[in-house]
Structure formats: structure tokens, C-alpha cells
Amino acid sequence: MTSPTRTTRPPKGADGSGLAARIRLGAFRAESKDYFLLLGTVLFLVVLGLVMVLSSSIVQSGLENNGDFTSRAMQQATYALIGVPVMLLAGRMPETFWMRIAWIALGISCALQLLVVATPLGVEVGGNTNWLRIGGVQFQPSELIKVALVIWLGLIVTKKKDQLGDFTHGILPILLVGGGAIGLVLLGGDLGTVMVMAGMLLGTLFLIGVRLRLLLVPLLFGVVAFGLVAVSSESRMKRITAFLQEHCTQFDTADCWQIQHGTFALANGGIFGVGLGNSAAKWSWLPAADNDFIFAIIGEELGLIGAIVVLGLFVLLALALARVLRAAETPFAKTVAAAVLVWVIGQACVNIGVVLGVFPVLGVPLPLVSAGGTALLTTLFAIGIVLSVARDPQAPERAAVRAEQRREARAEKAARAR
């Protein structure tokens, strides 16, 4: 009598799904603690930014788009949905990839900025010619230059790591190329962005170990150039005099309007805030409420507690970037971590300082929080580059060893069962 045929169940994962799941989980296990600290902080800031952009832009969106109160927020959410996957994809790329494209990225971004300042494609916004419109797309090439400088600095420092103590052969070429890229942005008149980029260039060199005496002359030159450019524009001088005037009352109130109403918004929030969505300043009282002065809306709606939470998140972000910088094993990894640290945290300090009245109005957004698609995409992309160097280089080997040990244990258990 023939025994019935026994159907053997395929082992779990034989169809590939279980194996794929293990591969995906293994990929995440292969990351370092610094990787997850950085990633988690960034995602939290992005989500907070989406909520605050929705709240702060709802009135202006309705006025500009025939009652569509969520248009700006939806646009920001679209950029976030693109930027986060781009960040995660960038986080999987090896150092060699970034170094291969460094010069190409810098060249393309500078060429686009040249189109802004030298052709009718450049668009003036807020007194600065810093936008490029091609077809129906409008973006800021200066933000692309920031990312390109991060990658390029990593490459050039790797090549000149033995010459960083020599100003002529090591530091000067970096300053000339980097300064040239920043100069193209300066031609558009965006002094705030120029200040952030110059700080990123010099701050990166300092954090990777270049002696301060080698950076002193370029620093003094930059301060003098900054002052000359600032006094060369009537609009900038009005902002500076408004900032220097106590209580901002003796000059034209138009120049003091944004400073005053930013302060009013913070004062109105008190300790606990007026509640999410209940800001009075966003009702056309505070210009750039969803962008340059979004921190004032945060202070008004979420109060001192909410403002401290935002400050704490940026401190945590700085800590995560600093840990990546300290753990970096290659000149490229150290340089890109330092560059993004100075860029993002420095720009956050400038933005918050403007709202608090520490600096004159400079027109720079709060990274990861303010409205602005180009800025959000490029910042997430740059952080993705840091994530790519924050991965634990020994983790994949350890994960493979653990997987082999688990396979051997299962095989031994199966053998005992037979």
C-alpha cells in the first residue's frame, strides 16, 4: 500500500520574503548609536516644522490662494516627503561616491548661481537676487552650493591632510575656491546666507584641527568685507540702524516693524503659550511668520516651554553631530560632520538670535523647521551625507557573526531533535 505523499512545508523565508525582512532589519542593526540619535532628532524637528508651518502660514495661504489655507503647508510636506527618503538614500552611500562627485557638484551649483546673478533667470525676493526660475520651478542655488561645499571640503581636506599646517599650499587653495563660490552668492546680495557659508568654511577648518593663527587673517578679511557690503546697501543700513536703536522707536517704524512684532509675539506667548493655532501675530502682523520668524510664532503659541524644547532639540542635534565628528575615522568623515555642524547649528543660532534681537534682521530660515523647499531638501541631503559616515564600520561584520551563530544554534537544535 502506497503511503500518502507528504507535502513538505517550505522553510520560513524560502520565498524570499523572510530573507528580505532579515536583510532590512540587519541593515538597521548595522548602524551606530550616533546614527540613530542624529536620525531621530532630525525627524522630530522635521515633524515639528511641518506642524508649525501649517499653523503659522494658514492665514497668509488663505489670502494668497483664494481660501486655500493649507497650500504652503502642503508644499512643505511634499518637500519633506521627498527629502527624508533622499536623506536615507544618501546615508547608504560610501565615502568614495561623495569624493567622486565633489568637483562636479561644486561646478554645477556655482554655474546655477552664476545664472542667478548674470542672466534674467535670476529672481529678486526681499531685495536679494538669490532665486533661479527655470520653467515653472523656482529654487535657490545658494543652498545647493552649501551641500556642494560640504562634499568638496571633505575631498580637499582628504587630499591635503598633510598640508593643513601650511597656509600657502594647504589653507590658501581651500579659501580661494570656497571663497569664490561664496562670492557668487554675495553678488546676489544675500548677506545672511553669505555669513552662514563663510562661517561654515572657516569653522570647519578650525574644528578639524587647523590652527587659529592660520585662520586669523581670512577671518579679519571676512569681517571687513562683511562690514563694507553691509554699509553699501540702503536697505541693510536701515535694518542695522533699526537694530542699534533702543526699543526701535526713533526711526521709521517700517524698519522696526518686524523686530517689534517678533518681540510682541514672544511676549504674548508667556510661559505656556496661547495654544497651537491661536497666534495673533500670524494675522498679517508679522512678516515671514512661517519662515524667518517662525521661532516667534513657536514662542507665542507654545510659550517659553515650547521655545525651550526647540532649543533643546537643536542642542541635541549639535550633540549628535559632535559625536559623529569625534568618532570619525577618516578625514572626509570628520570634515563633513564638522561642516554640517557649523552650517545647521550656526544658522539656527543666527535665526533665533534675530528673533530675540541679538542680531539685525538677516533673512535666514530656521533649519528643518522654517518653510522653504530648497532649504529643507538641501539640509536633509547634507545630514544624509553625515549619516553615511556615522555608520558603524564594524557593525556589519558583527551582525554577520551573530547571524552565523544563530544559524549554527538552529542547526544544532534540529540535529538534537532528530
Side-chain angles (χ1 to χ4, degrees), residues 53-346:
V53 167
L54 173 62
S55 177
S56 59
S57 68
I58 192 167
V59 175
Q60 197 64 29
S61 294
L63 293 174
E64 294 178 352
N65 298 283
N66 299 320
D68 185 358
F69 298 102
T70 63
S71 58
R72 290 194 179 187
M74 292 303 296
Q75 185 179 32
Q76 186 75 358
T78 301
Y79 283 113
L81 289 175
I82 297 172
V84 170
V86 167
M87 175 184 66
L88 296 175
L89 180 61
R92 312 306 300 178
M93 297 294 107
E95 288 186 9
T96 51
F97 171 78
W98 301 122
M99 288 192 280
R100 280 199 301 268
I101 68 169
W103 278 106
I104 298 173
L106 186 62
I108 292 175
S109 59
C110 288
L112 291 173
Q113 181 64 26
L114 195 59
L115 291 178
V116 171
V117 298
T119 72
L121 296 173
V123 178
E124 182 177 333
V125 177
N128 300 325
T129 306
N130 199 30
W131 292 81
L132 181 65
R133 179 180 289 133
I134 300 178
V137 179
Q138 184 170 307
F139 61 97
Q140 289 179 285
S142 59
E143 295 294 328
L144 301 178
I145 292 179
K146 289 180 184 178
V147 180
L149 278 177
V150 169
I151 305 171
W152 179 81
L153 281 171
L155 170 67
I156 206 70
V157 166
T158 301
K159 290 186 174 182
K160 292 184 174 291
K161 58 183 178 181
D162 297 326
Q163 297 177 298
L164 294 179
D166 184 347
F167 181 83
T168 303
H169 299 94
I171 304 302
L172 186 59
I174 297 176
L175 295 177
L176 289 177
V177 176
I182 297 171
L184 290 176
V185 180
L186 184 60
L187 291 177
D190 192 347
L191 197 58
T193 300
V194 167
M195 186 177 72
V196 172
M197 295 172 70
M200 180 179 72
L201 180 62
L202 296 176
T204 299
L205 293 175
F206 177 74
L207 287 180
I208 64 174
V210 175
R211 294 181 179 179
L212 184 59
R213 62 179 178 82
L214 297 177
L215 302 176
L216 192 58
V217 172
L219 180 61
L220 293 175
F221 176 81
V223 170
V224 172
F226 183 87
L228 292 175
V229 173
V231 300
S232 66
S233 169
E234 183 180 356
S235 63
R236 294 193 197 102
M237 282 304 300
K238 286 183 178 180
R239 282 182 282 174
I240 292 173
T241 52
F243 166 73
L244 295 176
Q245 172 60 35
E246 185 179 4
H247 305 310
C248 202
T249 56
Q250 296 183 14
F251 290 90
D252 184 2
T253 55
D255 302 323
C256 300
W257 184 272
Q258 196 168 27
I259 297 174
Q260 288 177 335
H261 284 80
T263 304
F264 294 161
L266 290 172
N268 188 40
I271 296 178
F272 300 104
V274 297
L276 188 63
N278 294 326
S279 166
K282 69 184 180 186
W283 288 84
S284 300
W285 290 103
L286 180 62
D290 63 338
N291 193 285
D292 299 345
F293 272 71
I294 197 170
F295 187 74
I297 303 299
I298 292 173
E300 183 180 15
E301 295 191 345
L302 305 181
L304 178 63
I305 294 176
I308 290 176
V309 168
V310 173
L311 290 173
L313 285 171
F314 278 103
V315 170
L316 189 60
L317 181 60
L319 176 63
L321 290 168
R323 286 175 61 90
V324 175
L325 171 61
R326 186 180 63 179
E329 298 181 353
T330 65
F332 180 87
K334 182 175 292 188
T335 303
V336 298
V340 175
L341 170 61
V342 178
W343 164 12
V344 176
I345 303 304

Side-chain angles (χ1 to χ4, degrees), residues 411-418:
E412 183 178 352
K413 183 179 181 181
R416 287 199 300 268
R418 288 196 297 268

